Each structure stands twice: as C-alpha cells, then as structure tokens.
Amino acid sequence: MAKLQSSSRTVLEPLADFEPAKPVRIRSLATSNSSDYETLVYIGTQSGSLILLSLNRNLPHLSHSSNASTTNAPKNVLSFLRSVSVCDLPVDSIHVMADIGRVLVLSDGFMFLIDSLLIQPVKKLSFLKSVTVISRRIRSDDTESFDFSENLSGLVESVSASQRFLMKLGSGIRANGGKSREFDHLREGNLVFAIAAAKKLVLVELLLVNGLNRSDREIDSSGGGVSFVILKEIQGVDGVKTMVWIDDSIIIGTSSGYSLISCVSGHSSLICSLPDPTSVPHLKLLRKDHKVLLLVDNVGIIVNAYGQPVSGSLVFRNFPDSVGEISSYVVVAGDEKMELYHKKSGICVQMALVAGEGSGVSVVADAEDGSSDLVAVATPSKVICYRKVPSEEQIRDLLRKKNFKEAITLVEELESEGEMTKEMLSFVHAQVGFLLLFDLHFEEAVDHFLQSETMQPTEIFPFIMRDPNRWSLLVPRNRYWGLHPPPAPLEDVVDDGLMAIQRAIFLRKAGVETTVDDDFLLNPPCRADLLESAIKNIIRYLQVSRRKELTSSVREGVDTLLMYLYRALNNVDDMENLASSENSCIVEELETLLDESGHLRTLAFLYASKGMNSKALAIWRILARNYSSGLWKDPAMESELLDTNTLSGKEAVAAEATKILEGSSDQDLVLQHLGWIADVCQVLAVRVLTSERRDDQLSPDEVTAAIDPKKVEILQRTHATRILLDVTNLCRYLQWLIEDQDSHDTRFHTLYALSLAKSAIEAFETENSSQNHDAGRLEETCSTGSEMNLIFQSPVRERLQIFLQASDLYDPEEVLDLIEGSELWLEKAILYRKLGQETLVLQILALKLEDSEAAEQYCAEIGRPDAYMQLLDMYLDPQDGKEPMFKAAVRLLHNHGESLDPLQVLETLSPDMPLQLAADTILRMLRARLHHHRQGQIVHNLSRAVDVDARLARLEERSRHVQINDESLCDSCHARLGTKLFAMYPDDSVVCYKSSKQDI
C-alpha cells in the first residue's frame, strides 16, 4: 500500500492495491462502475493479457488518515476475477463501454472486442489496420453538435447470410456505401469513435443489431449482435499519438504539435506547436467540465472544444506519464509518485509515493463517465486504488489541524461548483468560529459567526450565562463535529485557554510541537485583555443578531444578555441606549443586577420601556433629589430648554421624567410627580401639562386645583423672580387650554386674563425699575424679557391685549379690579369697552393715552354723531388742570366736521381757542353743509322728475283701446273671447283671462 506524504490536506486516500502473484508488467489501465457497490478494474499487460479485478465497496476499507500505511490496510479488497489473452503484443489502451457491456482493446494496431466480464472469446475487428489511437466522442448537453445518425441509412429487417458472415468476421458497414443501404437497425446506445489508422481518421459508430437470430448473434450470448458503421473518413491525418473527440471537434496530438479537426467538414487547424520535436504529446479529456487538457512539456493547458484556452495553466513538477481526473482535481503519475492538482487554482494539493518493484511508466485510470470517486494508479508491477475522501472528512481533517482558512476556501470552492450546499458553508463557518473562540481568537471567531446564515444566537448564550437559566432549553445540542469543547462561560474559556498556553510554553521548551498560536507563545496575553476582547466581540455578534427576525423568546435572551455584557464592561451609554429604545429585555433578570451595581438611570429607562412608569418615575425622583452638580449633555434637549445647550443633572433627570409623563394618561401619577419637576424646571412642568401625546387629557379642574395659592403668595413676598416664572408658565398652560383645546369655561378665561394681567403689571414695573440700574443690570433684564418672548412668542402686554379683545368669556370687572391701580391704560380701555362705558373709554384713549386716531375710530364704531361731539368737548375741556388739546380738536373737526352740526360746534368751541386754528375748519364745515344741502335739493328734484315721467307713462298705457268682436281669438289658447274677460299685453296681444293667469 502506498504511503501518503505529510500534507495539510488529504483528498485521496489509498483504498486497495493489487500485485499479481506472477510478475507482469502493466501497460494500460481502465476502471468501470458495474454497480453502486462494485468497481471493475481492467489491466492491460506488456505480454498482451487483459486482467479483470473487482473492488467491492461494501467491504471495510482503510480509515481516513494522512499517515496510513500498508500495515493496517485490509486484505483482499481488490480481488482477481479472471484474465484473457488478447494477443502476443502489449495492450496499448482499454476502452470500457459499460452501457452495452463491452470492452474495446487496442493492441498491435488492431482492435479487439470482448464482453465486460471477460467471459466470451475475444473478437478481433479486422476492418481497420494499423490503428494507433481510439477516442470516444463526448457530447455536451448545453451545446448543439452534429448528429451522424440523421444521415445514416437504415438496415433492412432481414439480413442475408453473406452479410451475417461479414459481421461475424468483424467487417464494418460503410454508411456511404452500397452495403449500408440494405440494413435496418435499432441503436441501443450512441457509441461513436474516432480511430486513427494508416494516415487517415475514421469515424465509426458501434451498433447493436437486433434483427439477427440467436445463432447468428455476435460475441454476447445475452444480447444482440455488434457491428461498426463507418460514418466518415478524413484522409491525410498521420502520426497521431493522442486524441480527444468532444462535440464536433477532434483534437489530435502529434510529435509536431496539437491540431483541431472538424468532424463535419474535415478541416484541420493548428492549435499550438511543441517546442521540441522530441516532446511527447498528451491529451486528457476533462469530462466534468467538457474541456481538454493539453500537455506541453510539464505545463498543462486547459482548452475548450474550439481549442481556445479557458483558464490558467497547470504547472507540474515533471512531465507526467499519465493524467487522470477526479472531481475538481487532475491526477498525474510519474517519477514513482502520484500528485493531485486543483484544476482552477493549479495548486498541488497532495502527493503520494507509488513506487513498486522495477521501473517504468505509471498509468492513471478514472471512470469513463467521470462520476466515480475512485481513481486507479498503476506502476509497472502494481495497481493502487484511491478513494476520494468525502468533502466533509476533508474539511474536518483541516479543522483538526487548525487550517481554518484552507478549510473555508475548500468549502467555498465546493459551494461554487455545486458540490456543497450553502447551508454547509454556513455550518463550517460556525464550526470554525467555535474553534477560534476556544483558541482565544475572539474577533476572528465572531467574523465567522456573522458569515454563518444558519447559526442561531442561542448558541452563544452558554458563553454568557451559566446553565441552568431561562434560555437553557433554547440552546441547540450536538450540532457540530465535536471538534471543540462544550460551551462554557467566557471566564472559563479564557482560563482554560491561558492554561493551554502555559502548557504549550512548557512543551515547547521540551522540544514538543503544539497547535497553540505562536503569537501567544511569544507574548502571552493578559486575562483581563482577553476577557474584554471576548465580551466586546460577543456584543458585536448580538448587536447584529438583533436586526434579524427572531422568535420572541430568542429576542428576549439576546437583549437581556446584551445588557449583561454592557454592564460587564460598564458601557453606560450603550446600556441606556438599549434600555431606552424598543427592546425585549426581561426586567426580572436585570433589575436586581442594575440596582446593586448602581445603574439606576438604566433601570429607569428599562422600566419606562416596559410601561412600568410608576417605578421609573420613582427612580427619576430619587436621582433628582440626590443628583450631583455635574453636567450632562443631552442633544435632544438642546433646542427646548431656555438658552443653554447643557443641562444640569437635575434638569436632565426631570427631562427624562417629563418624557414619561407626556405620554401618561394617569392623572394621579402626573400630578404626583408634577410638583418636583416644577421645582426643577417650570418649562418642563408646562410641557407635561400641555402634552398632546397622551390619549386622555388631564382634567383642567384637577390641574388648577393642584396649584397652591398660598405657596404663590409666600413666593411672591420672598422671591419675586420665581413667582414671575410660575405665573408665566401658568399662563402658558391656560393659553394652551383655551386656544388649542377650545375651552369655553369662563373660569379658565378669567384666570388666564388675571394671570396675564398680573404678569403684565410685574413686567411693566420691572421695565420701569430697570431704567435706574446700571448697564449690566439692564442686560440681565433684557435676557429675562427674551426668555418670556421665547415662551410666548410675543410680549406679555400684547398677549393680554389680544386676549381681552378676542374673548367674551372672562369677567372684565374682576380683571379691572386687579389692574385698577396700574398704568395699563389700554387694557383698562378694552375692559371698559366690554362693560359699555363709552365715556371712560374715550377719556382713556383721548386724554390718558392721547391716541387721537384710536379715539376717533372708537367714535366711528359707536356710530352716533354725539360721540364726536363728546370727544371734541374732552379735547377742549380736558379738566384736571390739563391744557386744551386744540390740535387734536382741529384734527377731529378736519376728519369728521362734515358730519357735525356747525351750530353745536360753534357753541362748543372755547373762547380761548385761537381763531386762526379754527377759521379754516369752520369755513370748510359751512361750505360742506351748504354743498350737502344743495346736493339734497338736486336729488329731490331729480326724484320728482322721475316720478312725473312714470305717472305719464302709466297714463298712456291706460288710455290704449282694443276692439273685440265675436270672431276675436285668444292669442295664447286660441279660444273665442266672446263675452269673456280678457287682458291686453304691452305688445298689443290679447289673451283670455284664464291664459293671462297662467302666464302670471
């Protein structure tokens, strides 16, 4: 048995060998699968004998091992069946036709035909002589090639005795000759061969003729007779040493080079020339790919059916004696060894010594159909059968040797070639990941985990939490090849790995090789670093797993264990992000852990995400009470709170509690926590009250009742600035209640008006007092004013004035009582107007505010002339020691004097008023008065003229006459009028009374 050399990968393993009892020299070799369990091996000897061996696949064979030897090989697996003598000269080639149970042998320039079991006598085919090479045609399924059977004439049903005699002699039937036209045959197989003989190329087809009786049947006693039909002869083909026929192309090799001949046209073209005339050409058909391997010295070139190179070259160590094919590999034999090359990469994957007794040419044989996983290699005195190691065994062997990259490359190649499923590729990625994990290469391990589409996140759970736990039953068992230890917590994995490294260092010093990574031996890692790396990479895997579609129980495990790992690394930001986002964490598994470790913020976020708002708010309240004075930046709140981008710790906590309360419809819960939020930040308290996110809004009565008036009074006496902020935010809540919620409750309208009025009074007083302060104080006041503008988007007094004018639901007297002693004169005017006190309104507008335009507009709204006279009287006699407002009086007379009675105006004018101020105005009033009088007269006279014209027209109409007799007809219904009532229309038409009523 051959001994395999040490290699990182074993593709072929020796299965059985055969060494004849009597010394023979092996010249040719062929194999054929007779069944799924038996392989026949044909040996052609130098002495002209054909030996048949049988390999029973049911018998036990050598277990897969790279160090196998003949000492442990099972005996009598490759057994001798029988042998037959073909001729006295060497058997040059053997061609097994398993589909018809025949073997075609070439020896001494003649072809011999025998049954596959070597039972019947050997039949010499004498219709061709000087045969050098035989090649069977191979047709591709995906290409169309010429079909000779369509041009072949049939054979007659009955065969004459002379023709049967010729068939028994082995003579051929020419397809283009007279003999072939007399036969009618049935083909039982499409067996077409190209035969190089005597300076020509003959294309023949082997036929099984069914028309013969049993005594006339040739060679095979169990089936029909055999005959060769000559399809075509191509002349001028000489010196052929090797040949392959694929589709319509026949590629031949001579001492000068390789040529391509068309089997249809016979045209020949040169593919390439050999560099040395002494070079030996060699062709090998690669059945799986339907390509041909050409040897030029020690270089193998793969070409297609058109002779064009289609892939990279294979460079062999030496010129091979023989070439075979198995799966994706090329097997070459020579120099007493067998080598295995990958067809695509060209890498020598494996090498084995096959030296036997004596020296000579080695021969490689593979199955004719290319489907077998066996290949036979023969030395001059010995035959060795190799079995292709199953792909899974190859991969498993590479993983044992820790050749992970090579194992993955192999799987990817097999998957691209269709020999392995995508699921298997994912399986191997996962297996490699676990091996790397136990070798402490955590980053590479997770990279492979992520490339596996079949690996489940639950397989990682045992590395995070010890069994038993909530998810123990979800972890799949026994899914891999047992190449790695069972799952264990990461701490144990790291400890075991460090112990293995220490053990390897000791063994290395003792001269013993180990499989531990050299980097770890030279620089032993630190336990803390390894554990941190393991946790970080497992976190990376779980983060990716969260984006996959998982069952609810698996998703709960992923999120909960992810929180465990975040906590182990104290990644506070990641913990809070996970807890505050949508997650499937199990609170019962985490609340004790987070509470004891002091991660209360994370626990509060987790409670809130699970709808446990009461617990979450309780934690936020504790944190607000005991929070340190450090700062915490929250980008989400930068645009919402005052004029700073940085929140204090308490404000940040209050902001998180606000987010919860904004969506809560639990009124008791909201009011319970609204107080401490308001103590931290009034703006946040207003946000809670005015939130639109909750399903059911809070009861305004309960909210307003929760405000403590006594507290407001105390704050007013001790901290005026704080009460201003309180009132301002109360105004904002009431504004939202009235404007956004369309509240028509008079209590809230009155309370809103009072709050606005109180804020306006205080803002007015603050503005006045700021005039006596220095520039720094003025800047601070401006900042406060801008703060109010941010809240209301308009000044307080403007908001108050708009509301007082727009609303009719508040109590103006109550508001007046509040602002009575203030300087809010315009607001007072609005309120007096609501109460209908016109005189007070005019006094405020004209005398207090001195707004003549507003006063005149109010008079216009009243709509009575006496209002203007009343306003004029106020201008001329303002009282309270004020000087008369002559300019305002003149303006009033100029704008509205035409509608006033001049006499009343003259009576009203003060004797002290300068005549030059009123002369022009009074003159214009008189002229306008006269103009209006005359204009009235003109209109009156025009109206009288129109009335006279109408009367005259009516009289003319009534004075028209019409004569009716017995023959007069109604112009509408054409009935006789007779003595009926009738009517006459303006167009002089006459209709009866009935028709006139219908027209009306």
Side-chain angles (χ1 to χ4, degrees), residues 10 67 123 379 751 835:
T10 302
N67 298 320
K123 182 63 179 179
T379 64
L751 182 58
L835 296 174

Side-chain angles (χ1 to χ4, degrees), residues 25 35 37 51 69 116 343 367 441 483 584 597 664 697 759 765-766 799 926 934:
R25 294 189 65 81
S35 67
Y37 309 104
I51 303 174
S69 63
S116 59
K343 286 189 289 188
H441 295 284
L483 301 180
S584 300
S597 61
S664 175
Q697 292 298 333
S759 298
E765 293 175 353
T766 303
R799 173 66 58 182
L926 295 175
R934 290 176 177 176

Side-chain angles (χ1 to χ4, degrees), residues 112-146:
F112 299 86
L113 197 62
I114 191 172
D115 66 293
S116 59
L117 297 179
L118 308 187
I119 298 176
Q120 301 297 322
V122 178
K123 182 63 179 179
K124 183 177 182 180
L125 306 177
S126 58
F127 70 96
L128 284 177
K129 299 180 181 180
S130 302
V131 177
T132 57
V133 183
I134 303 173
S135 178
R136 182 176 176 178
R137 186 187 190 189
I138 301 299
R139 300 177 69 173
S140 304
D141 296 333
D142 55 350
T143 59
E144 294 184 1
S145 56
F146 183 76

Side-chain angles (χ1 to χ4, degrees), residues 31 203 237 295 308 316 341 343 403 405 446 470 535 597 625 743 766 797 800 806 809 822 841 935:
T31 64
L203 309 183
V237 181
L295 285 181
Q308 300 172 347
F316 308 120
Y341 290 83
K343 286 189 289 188
N403 295 324
K405 292 183 179 179
V446 171
R470 183 187 293 262
I535 295 175
S597 61
R625 186 183 305 160
S743 175
T766 303
R797 287 198 64 183
L800 174 60
L809 300 178
S822 68
V841 175
Q935 188 176 19

Side-chain angles (χ1 to χ4, degrees), residues 943-986:
S943 299
R944 288 187 61 188
V946 171
D947 181 67
V948 171
D949 291 340
R951 289 174 179 271
L952 179 61
R954 183 171 179 271
L955 181 62
E956 291 177 353
E957 288 294 329
R958 293 177 66 85
S959 64
R960 286 194 302 161
H961 296 84
V962 63
Q963 184 176 358
I964 300 298
N965 55 30
D966 295 338
E967 301 298 329
S968 298
L969 300 177
C970 175
D971 292 336
S972 177
C973 64
H974 305 290
R976 291 182 181 275
L977 294 177
T979 59
K980 297 180 181 178
L981 293 176
F982 63 90
M984 185 175 68
Y985 290 160

Side-chain angles (χ1 to χ4, degrees), residues 287 559 707 730:
R287 293 178 179 271
D559 287 357
I707 300 175
L730 177 60

Side-chain angles (χ1 to χ4, degrees), residues 208-445:
L208 296 180
V209 183
N210 295 323
L212 305 178
N213 57 39
R214 188 172 185 85
S215 61
D216 293 331
R217 288 174 183 168
E218 190 178 347
I219 299 176
D220 190 358
S221 61
S222 61
V226 177
S227 177
F228 282 94
V229 177
I230 298 176
L231 305 174
K232 190 181 187 69
E233 291 185 359
I234 302 174
Q235 302 294 333
V237 181
D238 190 18
V240 178
K241 297 182 178 181
T242 181
M243 179 170 54
V244 170
W245 187 1
I246 178 171
D247 294 332
D248 294 339
S249 302
I250 303 175
I251 301 176
I252 63 172
T254 64
S255 58
S256 60
Y258 296 99
S259 300
L260 186 144
I261 301 175
S262 172
C263 68
V264 180
S265 64
H267 177 73
S268 176
S269 59
L270 180 66
I271 296 177
C272 66
S273 300
L274 293 177
D276 188 354
T278 61
S279 301
V280 179
H282 189 89
L283 293 171
K284 173 60 183 176
L285 174 64
L286 304 178
R287 293 178 179 271
K288 182 178 180 180
D289 303 322
H290 291 283
K291 296 180 177 60
V292 181
L293 179 67
L294 287 69
L295 285 181
V296 180
D297 289 338
N298 65 325
V299 178
I301 303 172
I302 300 177
V303 299
N304 59 13
Y306 305 101
Q308 300 172 347
V310 291
S311 61
S313 302
L314 303 179
V315 181
F316 308 120
R317 290 184 173 88
N318 299 290
F319 184 84
D321 295 336
S322 181
V323 180
E325 179 192 18
I326 182 169
S327 185
S328 303
Y329 305 94
V330 172
V331 184
V332 297
D335 292 340
E336 301 181 348
K337 58 186 176 183
M338 181 272 293
E339 295 177 337
L340 190 69
Y341 290 83
H342 194 276
K343 286 189 289 188
K344 289 187 177 180
S345 64
I347 298 174
C348 181
V349 179
Q350 184 181 356
M351 182 176 67
L353 297 177
V354 293
E357 295 182 2
S359 60
V361 178
S362 301
V363 184
V364 179
D366 50 38
E368 289 288 337
D369 57 0
S371 61
S372 177
D373 61 347
L374 290 177
V375 64
V377 179
T379 64
S381 60
K382 186 178 183 179
V383 177
I384 308 169
C385 288
Y386 290 91
R387 176 183 76 102
K388 180 179 177 292
V389 178
S391 301
E392 291 188 9
E393 292 187 18
Q394 296 182 45
I395 299 167
R396 191 181 296 116
D397 185 57
L398 290 173
L399 296 181
R400 288 194 188 98
K401 298 174 182 177
K402 298 188 182 298
N403 295 324
F404 303 130
K405 292 183 179 179
E406 189 174 353
I408 294 297
T409 301
L410 173 59
V411 179
E412 290 174 347
E413 291 176 357
L414 294 173
E415 193 266 338
S416 64
E417 295 169 1
E419 297 184 12
M420 187 163 285
T421 63
K422 195 171 184 179
E423 288 74 14
M424 188 62 186
L425 175 60
S426 297
F427 176 88
V428 175
H429 271 299
Q431 176 69 89
V432 172
F434 281 114
L435 291 171
L436 287 169
L437 188 144
F438 281 98
D439 286 346
L440 306 184
H441 295 284
F442 302 109
E443 183 176 358
E444 294 87 342

